[in-house]
Amino acid sequence: MPVPLSQLQYARKYPFSSTAKTVVKQLAPDISQIDEKAFERASDFILAASLPSPAIRKAFIAAHVKRRELSYEELLAHDVLAIPLAKIILSCIRSPPLYEKFASLVADLTFEYLMSEEKKISALVELSQDLKLKIDVENDEVRIPISQYLAFSLHDAPLHLVNRSVDKGKVELDTNAASRWLAEVVHASTRAQLPMNVNGLPPICEKMAARVELRVREAQSLAVKATSLGNVNVASFPPCMEKLYSEISSGTNIPH
């Protein structure tokens, strides 16, 4: 039975949601049968997370969010499968610093998607309920129990409790801050899932991990040279990274 387009789109935006987990099971009941293009898409996410250039990372996120209403089912399916496949590949690579960078990328994507929602408060409430978080909304202001608020590491300084208002045991947040907090929850959750147990997985997982690890090293080396010399052969980047790098270097598509 085909997965409804709306579910594919939601799963693409929020790959950690219960909807996404259900969709993944429908799309890929057997990991050995997954299209290799989905693995390639997973490698794109890992590369975007690994590169030291904030501009390239920001451009990758902007390009992903720009296509939030993508309607081509095959591409949607590849993107939906990319995040769980990326976790498998990362677990085979065994690099804790890369785990952290990947979790940060997923969190940044979450924040940008929440901020792009037409009905931001509704999206926040729906996603919070999906993650089994308790939040209240009063006059478009989000209130979160202080014990729950502090249960996750907060990397974003403006979210630190000293910078927030607290009333009757609840932290008060506007939509922007609440979205950032929820992104921090996703960061912590994604990082906690890595590394996964990869014993017994098909050989393609280790094969792709070796390929991705090599591409990460090459791309990082190229990015360092680009930063220090201002000149690099971008042909070695995968197509998505090459296009973004070229646009950023020429100044034609730097997101703000």
Side-chain angles (χ1 to χ4, degrees):
M1 183 176 179
V3 179
L5 185 64
S6 60
Q7 288 187 19
L8 284 169
Q9 291 171 334
Y10 190 85
R12 180 180 182 272
K13 292 190 294 184
Y14 306 117
F16 44 83
S17 65
S18 57
T19 295
K21 293 173 184 176
T22 299
V23 170
V24 167
K25 290 179 181 178
Q26 291 177 269
L27 293 175
D30 183 351
I31 191 172
S32 64
Q33 301 299 316
I34 293 178
D35 187 337
E36 191 163 325
K37 289 182 180 178
F39 278 96
E40 292 292 341
R41 186 61 177 141
S43 76
D44 291 342
F45 279 87
I46 295 171
L47 281 168
S50 71
L51 292 175
S53 167
I56 293 179
R57 176 191 177 95
K58 190 173 182 180
F60 180 88
I61 292 171
H64 198 279
V65 175
K66 184 179 180 181
R67 303 171 71 194
R68 61 185 177 273
E69 302 304 333
L70 186 69
S71 58
Y72 187 28
E73 292 181 6
E74 184 178 8
L75 292 180
L76 277 169
H78 290 162
D79 267 9
V80 170
L81 293 172
I83 296 297
L85 289 177
K87 291 177 184 176
I88 292 172
I89 293 171
L90 285 166
S91 299
C92 292
I93 293 175
R94 302 176 184 86
S95 171
L98 201 48
Y99 300 161
E100 176 63 26
K101 291 176 181 178
F102 178 77
S104 176
L105 177 66
V106 175
D108 286 348
L109 279 165
T110 301
F111 172 75
E112 295 298 337
Y113 270 115
L114 283 170
M115 295 307 295
S116 73
E117 296 282 5
E118 184 177 348
K119 298 179 179 179
K120 294 180 178 59
I121 291 292
S122 296
L124 270 167
V125 171
E126 181 180 359
L127 200 54
S128 296
Q129 291 176 341
D130 185 275
L131 296 174
K132 294 180 171 49
L133 299 170
K134 296 179 180 179
I135 70 170
D136 296 326
V137 178
E138 295 181 12
N139 300 320
D140 289 337
E141 185 175 67
V142 176
R143 295 165 55 84
I144 303 172
I146 192 168
S147 58
Q148 178 179 257
Y149 185 83
L150 296 176
F152 305 93
S153 298
L154 301 176
H155 299 79
D156 196 347
L159 291 177
H160 294 171
L161 197 59
V162 68
N163 298 316
R164 309 312 316 177
S165 296
V166 180
D167 178 57
K168 298 179 181 178
K170 294 186 177 182
V171 183
E172 299 176 329
L173 305 167
D174 60 18
T175 304
N176 183 293
S179 296
R180 289 192 179 280
W181 178 79
L182 197 52
E184 294 278 19
V185 173
V186 171
H187 184 144
S189 175
T190 303
R191 178 61 187 88
Q193 294 167 11
L194 295 167
M196 301 170 60
N197 182 357
V198 293
N199 293 331
L201 291 177
I204 189 174
C205 296
E206 287 287 356
K207 173 185 172 184
M208 289 301 300
R211 186 185 302 176
V212 171
E213 188 169 18
L214 178 60
R215 293 171 75 188
V216 164
R217 290 175 181 172
E218 291 176 343
Q220 287 177 336
S221 177
L222 284 167
V224 169
K225 289 179 182 178
T227 301
S228 61
L229 302 176
N231 183 27
V232 65
N233 177 11
V234 297
S236 296
F237 284 118
C240 68
M241 295 293 113
E242 178 183 349
K243 182 175 184 294
L244 289 174
Y245 181 87
S246 298
E247 291 175 339
I248 291 167
S249 299
S250 64
T252 59
N253 190 32
I254 301 178
H256 299 284

